[in-house]
Amino acid sequence: MSLGFYFDTEECIGCRTCQVACQDRNNLEVGIVFRGVGSFESGNYPNAVIYHYSASCNHCETPACVANCPTGAMQKDAGGEGTIQHDDELCIGCETCVNTCPYKVPVLLASGITGKCDACKPFRDAGLNPVCVDACVMRCLDFGDTEDLRSKYSSDLVNALPFLPSPDTTNPNTLIKPKQAALATGYREVLI
């Protein structure tokens, strides 16, 4: 079983409610995010199209953060679900995970250790969804077994977009329903 996120770029309005819910749940400082929303534009006037992307840990099949962590603080969940978890007690704050993750997901916290999305494991263990999933007003996010998500939403889902790193190395477990504009190689990140 491989657990991961589903994200629908066609429906996302870029409201960042998922980002705020994650920051709140994790009691993160201003400027630190475990889930961040970026906005992009492709095409040219009068045919420019904007789209948004909500990113967090991809809970990769072959995670660079786990492979390179010198203390074992980054690890695949021992329960067999496949999510990437962080052991605060083992972390020495060396930032190896920060520097080796192609998606730039782990972040150094003020406490001197790194942190990242754990897919709200304590909530899921209690039978709840990750907070970002429930917070999304457009229902663009979901979490679960990637095969079940593929069956539920579409077999045409992708795990890469032109602005993301190649999925070949880490095999991310994020499934994306791409807006046509999100597949264009000519894109620009925009601030909204």
Side-chain angles (χ1 to χ4, degrees):
M1 172 171 66
S2 295
L3 295 180
F5 285 100
Y6 160 82
F7 176 67
D8 186 345
T9 63
E10 290 184 339
E11 297 297 324
C12 181
I13 59 173
C15 68
R16 292 171 172 72
T17 304
C18 57
Q19 179 176 311
V20 172
C22 178
Q23 283 179 295
D24 184 55
R25 181 257 171 182
N26 290 290
N27 198 27
L28 299 175
E29 302 167 24
V30 173
I32 301 292
V33 296
F34 290 173
R35 173 172 288 284
V37 178
S39 299
F40 300 86
E41 178 183 55
S42 65
N44 295 305
Y45 176 84
N47 299 314
V49 178
I50 197 161
Y51 58 94
H52 312 282
Y53 185 70
S54 177
S56 71
C57 181
N58 293 295
H59 301 286
C60 301
E61 287 297 315
T62 51
C65 61
V66 171
N68 292 288
C69 179
T71 65
M74 285 290 186
Q75 53 196 252
K76 281 221 179 210
D77 179 65
E81 67 175 20
T83 59
I84 310 307
Q85 300 297 315
H86 182 262
D87 186 329
D88 293 354
E89 299 296 317
L90 295 176
C91 183
I92 58 174
C94 68
E95 295 185 82
T96 302
C97 58
V98 174
N99 296 320
T100 59
C101 173
Y103 298 94
K104 306 295 183 213
V105 167
V107 293
L108 185 64
L109 303 173
S111 63
I113 62 172
T114 59
K116 62 171 270 315
C117 162
D118 63 359
C120 292
K121 184 159 176 40
F123 285 28
R124 291 183 297 107
D125 288 348
L128 303 170
N129 286 323
V131 294
C132 59
V133 171
D134 284 345
C136 180
V137 296
M138 298 302 291
R139 299 295 170 241
C140 300
L141 287 167
D142 203 350
F143 185 84
D145 181 276
T146 54
E147 291 307 312
D148 292 345
L149 292 172
R150 214 175 271 289
S151 295
K152 181 177 179 180
Y153 293 104
S154 171
S155 60
D156 297 337
L157 303 175
V158 299
N159 66 353
L161 294 172
F163 59 85
L164 294 172
S166 170
D168 296 342
T169 305
T170 60
N171 302 306
N173 281 317
T174 296
L175 301 173
I176 307 160
K177 181 178 180 182
K179 190 174 196 174
Q180 193 60 39
L183 297 172
T185 55
Y187 63 87
R188 296 168 293 285
E189 188 164 7
V190 296
L191 295 175
I192 295 180

